[in-house]
Amino acid sequence: MILSHASALQSARPTITLTTCDSIRTNWLFDTGADVSCMDSSLFEKLHQSKAIKKLAIDRVLTAASSDRLKVTGKYAIPIEATVGQQTKRIEAEIYVCEGLNEKAILGIDL
């Protein structure tokens, strides 16, 4: 996977660019403290029409670093593509969709 850093003016937090279904490229915050991967519901709205997305059962309660409970609106298996050098890897990632995330997408340690 290609890790990039946002410009110093925007953020010093590491991000990774992944391609999801329908060729939508998205910057994900790489968060080693996150147990699962999440995306904001506003980003999911751009993807949800794809037939490649599968709805899964929500199997846990999620909390933010502040200990506030997140409003999970769904859990989905979403095809994701990452390029490392000359190789491209495709996986089906389990992503929780939440309302009101501070980031559009968070890549947790589950991926």
Side-chain angles (χ1 to χ4, degrees):
M1 294 181 199
I2 300 171
L3 288 178
S4 62
H5 294 278
S7 72
L9 295 175
Q10 293 177 353
S11 173
R13 298 185 296 179
T15 61
I16 186 169
T17 301
L18 301 175
T19 304
T20 54
C21 48
D22 298 331
S23 299
I24 296 175
R25 292 177 55 83
T26 307
N27 288 328
W28 292 63
L29 173 67
F30 186 61
D31 186 350
T32 58
D35 292 334
V36 297
S37 297
C38 306
M39 81 171 41
D40 190 72
S41 55
S42 63
L43 174 59
F44 182 73
E45 287 299 314
K46 296 177 183 177
L47 307 175
H48 83 281
Q49 299 297 326
S50 174
K51 291 180 170 72
I53 294 176
K54 299 174 195 156
K55 188 169 177 72
L56 304 172
I58 299 171
D59 55 357
R60 62 171 62 190
V61 173
L62 301 183
T63 56
S66 63
S67 298
D68 293 329
R69 187 173 175 172
L70 296 175
K71 183 173 182 184
V72 178
T73 59
K75 179 182 175 187
Y76 300 88
I78 299 176
I80 291 179
E81 184 176 283
T83 302
V84 180
Q86 299 292 325
Q87 295 181 336
T88 298
K89 181 170 178 143
R90 293 176 180 89
I91 61 169
E92 188 173 80
E94 292 184 359
I95 307 292
Y96 288 84
V97 177
C98 304
E99 286 186 13
L101 286 180
N102 290 334
E103 302 288 334
K104 290 293 181 192
I106 298 171
L107 185 65
I109 60 171
D110 58 327
L111 292 181

